[in-house]
Amino acid sequence: SAVISQKPSRDICQRGTSLTIQCQVDSQVTMMFWYRQQPGQSLTLIATANQGSEATYESGFVIDKFPISRPNLTFSTLTVSNMSPEDSSIYLCSVLPQAAYGYTFGSGTRLTVV
Amino acid sequence: GNSVTQMEGPVTLSEEAFLTINCTYTATGYPSLFWYVQYPGEGLQLLLKATKADDKGSNKGFEATYRKETTSFHLEKGSVQVSDSAVYFCALSLNSGGSNYKLTFGKGTLLTVNP
């Protein structure tokens, strides 16, 4: 299965600033997914990022707040813009390299907004 | 829409006890089912999966059987260890293309195993 490198692993940011999270995969994948896990909660899908097309956002998430880039089949970034304390969460990227292997997750980015 | 309901816990067991974490689902179609585990301070790891009715997924002593008639995918382990302490997430996906590829998660169950 795929191996994902996600950076940074954690960060503490000031409100009003932006943070860009990177996700690098060791193999080419068509679909990449970005999830948010708020403290003590389950995972919620933010958007699906396919190479060569605009990301598809889930209800409650907008591109201005969470812009996503997908320049090639092994890399994606998620930016959390104009941050507030409510954005403090773990952000995870995920890929589905092959259906037989299931979804693989990065180790996550723990974001704290102060 | 699709949804996953799992026992929320927390669940506290002694070492070598039997574990069951219940998971039921609602889906428009025939989903693939997954159990993921999140150890303290880490990301999610796939524990096991099943892609069709009556399939049994197994890994590290954990098992779960895809029961279409009861729309369930309960996680079991015969003898838990302290190292099994983690949060366990049940999830489904439809794998039929478009947004149905996404995973829908249950709320997670915190398991603590005491020595």
Side-chain angles (χ1 to χ4, degrees):
Chain A
S1 61
V3 176
I4 299 175
S5 174
Q6 188 174 336
K7 298 178 181 179
S9 59
R10 61 178 66 234
D11 207 342
I12 300 174
C13 299
Q14 297 292 322
R15 68 176 66 202
T17 63
S18 298
L19 175 72
T20 296
I21 302 168
Q22 299 180 1
C23 183
Q24 178 75 52
V25 190
D26 69 345
S27 58
Q28 294 185 339
V29 292
T30 302
M31 290 186 169
M32 296 182 75
F33 306 87
W34 287 98
Y35 287 85
R36 181 176 73 181
Q37 185 180 19
Q38 294 178 300
Q41 303 296 314
S42 186
L43 284 79
T44 302
L45 181 67
I46 297 171
T48 302
N50 294 333
Q51 194 267 338
S53 63
E54 293 289 325
T56 302
Y57 288 82
E58 297 296 303
S59 176
F61 297 96
V62 296
I63 187 171
D64 289 346
K65 176 68 175 176
F66 298 101
I68 289 171
S69 76
R70 183 77 200 275
N72 56 52
L73 290 174
T74 63
F75 188 77
S76 179
T77 66
L78 169 76
T79 298
V80 186
S81 303
N82 188 25
M83 288 184 286
S84 67
E86 291 71 33
D87 294 320
S88 297
S89 297
I90 301 173
Y91 293 85
L92 301 104
C93 67
S94 176
V95 301
L96 180 63
Q98 293 185 38
Y101 297 142
Y103 297 79
T104 301
F105 283 81
S107 57
T109 297
R110 292 179 176 272
L111 171 62
T112 302
V113 183
V114 297
Chain B
N2 306 321
S3 65
V4 175
T5 302
Q6 65 177 101
M7 188 168 71
E8 292 190 22
V11 175
T12 302
L13 297 173
S14 297
E15 206 164 24
E16 300 184 2
F18 183 85
L19 169 70
T20 299
I21 302 177
N22 290 337
C23 172
T24 58
Y25 67 88
T26 301
T28 55
Y30 300 100
S32 295
L33 301 173
F34 307 84
W35 278 100
Y36 280 86
V37 59
Q38 185 176 36
Y39 297 103
E42 298 185 12
L44 269 71
Q45 300 177 25
L46 178 64
L47 182 59
L48 53 84
K49 66 181 178 71
T51 58
K52 61 182 187 296
D54 299 326
D55 269 1
K56 176 185 285 188
S58 61
N59 186 25
K60 300 181 181 181
F62 290 90
E63 293 182 341
T65 301
Y66 189 142
R67 301 289 188 195
K68 181 182 174 184
E69 63 276 13
T70 55
T71 62
S72 65
F73 193 55
H74 304 321
L75 182 68
E76 297 182 336
K77 186 174 185 181
S79 177
V80 294
Q81 306 300 313
V82 172
S83 58
D84 294 327
S85 298
V87 180
Y88 293 82
F89 292 94
C90 185
L92 69 82
S93 79
L94 282 170
N95 288 344
S96 59
S99 63
N100 284 334
Y101 272 105
K102 70 178 184 181
L103 282 167
T104 299
F105 285 89
K107 292 187 176 183
T109 301
L110 173 62
L111 170 66
T112 301
V113 180
N114 295 318

